Amino acid sequence: MDRHERRRRRKRQMPDDDIIITMENVSKAYSTGAPALNGVDFTVRNGEFVFVVGDSGSGKSTLIRLLLRELVATSGYINVLGYDLNKIRHRKIPKFRRNIGIVFQDFRLLKELTVYDNVAFAQRVIQVSGKEIRRNVPSILATVGLAGKYKAKPRQLSGGEQQRVALARALVNRPAILLADEPTGNLDPNNSWEIMKLMERINENGTTVIVVTHNREIVNAMQKRVVTMKRGVIVSDEEKGGYLDED
Ligand code: ADP
Ligand code: MG
């Protein structure tokens, strides 16, 4: 289905319900400099695993932040999980974001809280019951391989372990979409592989996953869809792609 067909369906309120992310002709200009995104068309189907690669400054983080509605597009249309992000009301944004888990390069854990509480916190803020929290947190910590570390504080963990806590926190509310912005940027090769394999498993269990990365070796080995950005545009989008060799 091309962009015009999608637009027509949208006007008739007949979304292709397999598509859960749509960007049409999206541009984002910050107050200074050239546009960070310039006419991006991008769709993601439910259940896909997508790598986003490209040089530093090519617009990858801007794309992620637009999908989270941390930023608003300067022009163009963005729909995520049926929410029109240009029109969404401010009070609806927290509810929208519950559907999205996010992981960053620098983990962003709460330093004073234990592993358990870092993950439980994500459930408390959306008012999950204590009983469910006591069931969900151990379950997700086991999934990421941290069953024995409930009481540790972030500083007592390796980088790989901290990122697994961050992943557990991103996933405990069972989001439809996981976004990861350079999640292995601070990790050694072994831990990078473990995090990527975990995200692959999470994807196999039905979560749509979008991973921004510079890790050429992993991208080439995993044979997923690869979207390559350059100066604010998508220059290639390949099923079972590899890292374009151009530097
Ligand atoms: P990437 O994640 O691919 O490195 P970014 O999306 O962070 O790229 O940045 C794309 C472009 O937008 C870069 O030129 C960057 O300097 C610029 N940019 C990013 N964030 C801001 C901001 N808050 N204010 C102004 N310019 C920004
Ligand atoms: Mg970035």
Side-chain angles (χ1 to χ4, degrees):
M1 190 180 341
D2 68 17
R3 163 175 152 196
H4 303 290
E5 169 63 10
R6 279 201 305 280
R7 183 168 291 154
R8 211 160 47 236
R9 282 178 178 238
R10 195 175 74 238
K11 286 218 168 106
R12 283 185 277 137
Q13 298 188 302
M14 282 178 55
D16 175 338
D17 52 21
D18 207 28
I19 292 178
I20 59 170
I21 293 174
T22 303
M23 285 188 154
E24 284 178 3
N25 203 14
V26 171
S27 296
K28 174 65 191 177
Y30 295 103
S31 48
T32 55
L37 287 190
N38 198 347
V40 166
D41 289 312
F42 178 54
T43 58
V44 177
R45 290 177 185 283
N46 191 20
E48 276 196 288
F49 189 115
V50 187
F51 281 124
V52 178
V53 305
D55 295 341
S56 181
S58 58
K60 306 178 300 295
S61 294
T62 299
L63 180 111
I64 295 290
R65 296 179 66 203
L66 285 165
L67 295 178
L68 271 174
R69 191 38 172 80
E70 268 184 38
L71 294 175
V72 183
T74 308
S75 62
Y77 173 77
I78 307 181
N79 189 301
V80 178
L81 295 165
Y83 290 83
D84 179 337
L85 297 191
N86 293 334
K87 293 190 179 152
I88 187 172
R89 293 192 175 256
H90 268 273
R91 62 185 166 77
K92 293 257 172 81
I93 291 174
K95 183 161 172 254
F96 160 69
R97 290 210 182 115
R98 280 182 206 178
N99 300 293
I100 304 181
I102 173 88
V103 176
F104 300 96
Q105 177 170 359
D106 56 359
F107 320 137
R108 302 195 191 180
L109 300 173
L110 295 164
K111 289 184 174 57
E112 302 309 320
L113 297 186
T114 63
V115 165
Y116 185 95
D117 284 329
N118 262 282
V119 179
F121 184 77
Q123 296 240 280
R124 292 189 184 116
V125 297
I126 64 165
Q127 291 165 359
V128 175
S129 74
K131 188 177 165 196
E132 280 184 77
I133 293 175
R134 287 189 293 277
R135 189 176 62 217
N136 294 338
V137 175
S139 160
I140 194 72
L141 285 173
T143 301
V144 302
L146 287 174
K149 299 271 182 183
Y150 291 1
K151 292 188 176 158
K153 297 274 180 70
R155 67 174 175 278
Q156 299 169 305
L157 301 175
S158 72
E161 287 169 333
Q162 288 185 62
Q163 193 61 298
R164 283 190 266 163
V165 178
L167 202 49
R169 179 182 58 186
L171 294 168
V172 70
N173 296 337
R174 306 214 162 270
I177 301 171
L178 175 69
L179 303 176
D181 193 351
E182 305 202 30
T184 65
N186 287 340
L187 304 181
D188 63 31
N190 279 337
N191 278 307
S192 297
W193 266 111
E194 287 197 7
I195 291 292
M196 289 291 188
K197 285 288 169 193
L198 261 173
M199 291 194 294
E200 185 176 42
R201 239 174 67 210
I202 287 151
N203 173 249
E204 285 162 0
N205 288 328
T207 308
T208 302
V209 176
I210 301 179
V211 185
V212 172
T213 186
H214 283 118
N215 198 313
R216 195 172 282 267
E217 191 192 343
I218 289 178
V219 169
N220 288 338
M222 280 177 62
Q223 293 288 295
K224 305 291 190 190
R225 178 177 170 195
V226 181
V227 168
T228 305
M229 299 193 62
K230 196 168 190 175
R231 291 196 204 96
V233 300
I234 291 177
V235 294
S236 84
D237 185 347
E238 311 250 357
E239 292 303 321
K240 302 191 182 208
Y243 210 107
L244 291 185
D245 259 319
E246 54 175 312
D247 33 62

Short mmCIF file of all heavy atoms in Angstrom, two decimals, residues 7 19 23 45 52 64 69 89 95 129 137 143 145 147 154 160 167 169 172 176 179 185 202 208 215 227 230 241:
data_model
loop_
_atom_site.label_atom_id
_atom_site.label_comp_id
_atom_site.label_asym_id
_atom_site.label_seq_id
_atom_site.Cartn_x
_atom_site.Cartn_y
_atom_site.Cartn_z
N ARG A 7 -3.34 7.39 2.98
CA ARG A 7 -3.99 8.67 3.30
C ARG A 7 -5.48 8.57 3.03
O ARG A 7 -6.31 9.04 3.80
CB ARG A 7 -3.35 9.77 2.47
CG ARG A 7 -3.90 11.15 2.79
CD ARG A 7 -3.04 12.23 2.17
NE ARG A 7 -1.73 12.33 2.79
CZ ARG A 7 -0.65 12.81 2.17
NH1 ARG A 7 -0.70 13.17 0.91
NH2 ARG A 7 0.49 12.89 2.81
N ILE A 19 -0.74 -1.76 10.51
CA ILE A 19 0.27 -0.71 10.63
C ILE A 19 0.05 0.04 11.93
O ILE A 19 -1.03 0.57 12.16
CB ILE A 19 0.21 0.25 9.42
CG1 ILE A 19 0.66 -0.50 8.16
CG2 ILE A 19 1.08 1.48 9.66
CD1 ILE A 19 0.60 0.32 6.90
N MET A 23 4.45 7.59 9.64
CA MET A 23 4.95 8.96 9.50
C MET A 23 4.79 9.30 8.03
O MET A 23 5.22 8.54 7.17
CB MET A 23 6.44 9.04 9.85
CG MET A 23 6.74 8.97 11.32
SD MET A 23 8.51 9.31 11.55
CE MET A 23 8.47 9.94 13.21
N ARG A 45 4.84 -2.12 10.90
CA ARG A 45 3.73 -3.04 11.15
C ARG A 45 3.83 -3.65 12.53
O ARG A 45 4.92 -3.81 13.07
CB ARG A 45 3.77 -4.19 10.13
CG ARG A 45 3.41 -3.74 8.77
CD ARG A 45 3.52 -4.88 7.75
NE ARG A 45 3.26 -4.31 6.45
CZ ARG A 45 2.04 -4.01 6.03
NH1 ARG A 45 0.97 -4.28 6.76
NH2 ARG A 45 1.87 -3.45 4.87
N VAL A 52 17.39 1.21 13.23
CA VAL A 52 17.57 2.51 12.61
C VAL A 52 19.05 2.86 12.77
O VAL A 52 19.55 2.92 13.90
CB VAL A 52 16.68 3.59 13.26
CG1 VAL A 52 16.94 4.95 12.61
CG2 VAL A 52 15.20 3.20 13.15
N ILE A 64 12.87 9.10 17.14
CA ILE A 64 12.38 8.40 18.34
C ILE A 64 11.55 9.34 19.22
O ILE A 64 10.48 8.99 19.72
CB ILE A 64 13.59 7.83 19.14
CG1 ILE A 64 14.33 6.75 18.34
CG2 ILE A 64 13.16 7.33 20.52
CD1 ILE A 64 13.59 5.46 18.16
N ARG A 69 6.14 11.40 21.27
CA ARG A 69 5.46 12.69 21.44
C ARG A 69 6.18 13.54 22.49
O ARG A 69 5.58 14.35 23.19
CB ARG A 69 3.98 12.47 21.78
CG ARG A 69 3.02 13.66 21.76
CD ARG A 69 3.23 14.67 20.67
NE ARG A 69 2.17 15.67 20.59
CZ ARG A 69 2.07 16.74 21.39
NH1 ARG A 69 2.97 16.92 22.31
NH2 ARG A 69 1.08 17.57 21.24
N ARG A 89 -4.47 15.38 22.76
CA ARG A 89 -4.59 16.37 23.84
C ARG A 89 -3.55 16.08 24.92
O ARG A 89 -3.23 14.93 25.18
CB ARG A 89 -5.97 16.30 24.46
CG ARG A 89 -7.03 16.76 23.50
CD ARG A 89 -8.33 16.95 24.22
NE ARG A 89 -9.29 17.49 23.28
CZ ARG A 89 -9.65 18.77 23.29
NH1 ARG A 89 -9.18 19.59 24.20
NH2 ARG A 89 -10.51 19.21 22.40
N LYS A 95 -1.40 8.56 28.98
CA LYS A 95 -2.07 7.30 28.63
C LYS A 95 -1.48 6.73 27.33
O LYS A 95 -1.23 5.52 27.22
CB LYS A 95 -3.57 7.55 28.48
CG LYS A 95 -4.35 6.30 28.18
CD LYS A 95 -5.85 6.47 28.50
CE LYS A 95 -6.63 5.28 28.00
NZ LYS A 95 -7.42 5.58 26.79
N SER A 129 -1.99 -2.44 41.07
CA SER A 129 -2.16 -2.85 42.47
C SER A 129 -0.90 -3.52 43.00
O SER A 129 -0.12 -4.10 42.24
CB SER A 129 -3.33 -3.83 42.58
OG SER A 129 -2.95 -5.09 42.07
N VAL A 137 6.79 -7.82 38.72
CA VAL A 137 8.20 -7.40 38.79
C VAL A 137 9.13 -8.62 38.81
O VAL A 137 10.08 -8.69 38.01
CB VAL A 137 8.44 -6.43 39.96
CG1 VAL A 137 9.93 -6.10 40.09
CG2 VAL A 137 7.64 -5.15 39.76
N THR A 143 12.80 -12.68 33.31
CA THR A 143 12.93 -12.64 31.84
C THR A 143 14.25 -12.03 31.40
O THR A 143 14.88 -12.50 30.46
CB THR A 143 11.77 -11.83 31.22
OG1 THR A 143 10.54 -12.45 31.60
CG2 THR A 143 11.88 -11.76 29.71
N GLY A 145 16.96 -11.94 33.16
CA GLY A 145 18.09 -12.63 33.77
C GLY A 145 18.62 -11.98 35.03
O GLY A 145 19.81 -12.09 35.33
N ALA A 147 17.06 -12.35 38.22
CA ALA A 147 16.24 -12.87 39.32
C ALA A 147 16.96 -12.75 40.67
O ALA A 147 16.32 -12.58 41.70
CB ALA A 147 15.84 -14.31 39.05
N PRO A 154 21.80 0.37 41.55
CA PRO A 154 22.43 0.45 40.23
C PRO A 154 23.96 0.47 40.28
O PRO A 154 24.62 -0.18 39.46
CB PRO A 154 21.87 1.76 39.66
CG PRO A 154 20.49 1.84 40.26
CD PRO A 154 20.66 1.30 41.67
N GLY A 160 25.99 -3.91 31.72
CA GLY A 160 25.03 -4.82 31.08
C GLY A 160 23.85 -5.12 31.99
O GLY A 160 22.70 -5.17 31.53
N LEU A 167 15.68 -2.28 30.77
CA LEU A 167 14.81 -3.02 29.86
C LEU A 167 13.59 -3.60 30.60
O LEU A 167 12.46 -3.51 30.13
CB LEU A 167 15.64 -4.14 29.22
CG LEU A 167 15.21 -4.76 27.90
CD1 LEU A 167 14.87 -3.73 26.85
CD2 LEU A 167 16.35 -5.67 27.40
N ARG A 169 12.28 -2.39 33.29
CA ARG A 169 11.41 -1.25 33.62
C ARG A 169 10.59 -0.83 32.39
O ARG A 169 9.41 -0.48 32.49
CB ARG A 169 12.27 -0.07 34.10
CG ARG A 169 11.45 1.16 34.44
CD ARG A 169 12.31 2.32 34.86
NE ARG A 169 13.28 2.67 33.83
CZ ARG A 169 14.23 3.57 33.97
NH1 ARG A 169 14.37 4.20 35.14
NH2 ARG A 169 15.07 3.84 33.01
N VAL A 172 7.80 -3.75 31.88
CA VAL A 172 6.94 -4.30 32.94
C VAL A 172 5.47 -3.95 32.72
O VAL A 172 4.58 -4.71 33.10
CB VAL A 172 7.45 -3.90 34.34
CG1 VAL A 172 7.24 -2.41 34.60
CG2 VAL A 172 6.78 -4.75 35.42
N ALA A 176 3.10 -2.08 23.83
CA ALA A 176 2.99 -2.63 22.47
C ALA A 176 4.27 -2.40 21.69
O ALA A 176 4.61 -3.17 20.80
CB ALA A 176 1.81 -1.96 21.75
N LEU A 179 11.00 1.14 22.20
CA LEU A 179 11.94 1.99 21.49
C LEU A 179 13.26 1.97 22.24
O LEU A 179 13.27 2.09 23.47
CB LEU A 179 11.43 3.44 21.43
CG LEU A 179 10.06 3.68 20.81
CD1 LEU A 179 9.67 5.17 20.93
CD2 LEU A 179 10.04 3.26 19.35
N GLY A 185 25.23 1.39 23.41
CA GLY A 185 26.31 2.37 23.21
C GLY A 185 27.35 2.40 24.30
O GLY A 185 28.50 2.77 24.06
N ILE A 202 11.96 -10.59 23.08
CA ILE A 202 10.78 -9.77 23.41
C ILE A 202 9.94 -9.54 22.16
O ILE A 202 8.72 -9.61 22.18
CB ILE A 202 11.26 -8.44 24.04
CG1 ILE A 202 11.78 -8.72 25.45
CG2 ILE A 202 10.17 -7.38 24.03
CD1 ILE A 202 12.85 -7.78 25.91
N THR A 208 6.49 -4.91 19.26
CA THR A 208 7.16 -4.25 18.14
C THR A 208 8.39 -3.53 18.68
O THR A 208 8.30 -2.84 19.70
CB THR A 208 6.19 -3.25 17.48
OG1 THR A 208 5.04 -3.97 17.06
CG2 THR A 208 6.84 -2.53 16.31
N ASN A 215 25.89 -0.36 16.06
CA ASN A 215 26.63 -1.62 16.13
C ASN A 215 26.51 -2.41 14.82
O ASN A 215 25.63 -3.22 14.62
CB ASN A 215 26.14 -2.46 17.32
CG ASN A 215 27.13 -3.53 17.67
OD1 ASN A 215 27.62 -4.24 16.78
ND2 ASN A 215 27.45 -3.65 18.94
N VAL A 227 16.64 0.52 8.56
CA VAL A 227 16.33 1.84 8.02
C VAL A 227 17.59 2.69 8.22
O VAL A 227 18.09 2.80 9.34
CB VAL A 227 15.14 2.45 8.77
CG1 VAL A 227 14.98 3.93 8.43
CG2 VAL A 227 13.86 1.67 8.46
N LYS A 230 20.22 9.63 6.79
CA LYS A 230 21.33 10.51 6.47
C LYS A 230 20.80 11.93 6.37
O LYS A 230 19.85 12.17 5.63
CB LYS A 230 21.94 10.07 5.13
CG LYS A 230 23.30 10.64 4.86
CD LYS A 230 23.95 9.95 3.68
CE LYS A 230 25.40 10.37 3.58
NZ LYS A 230 26.09 9.63 2.52
N GLY A 241 18.26 -6.40 6.12
CA GLY A 241 19.32 -5.55 5.59
C GLY A 241 20.62 -5.66 6.36
O GLY A 241 20.74 -6.42 7.31
#
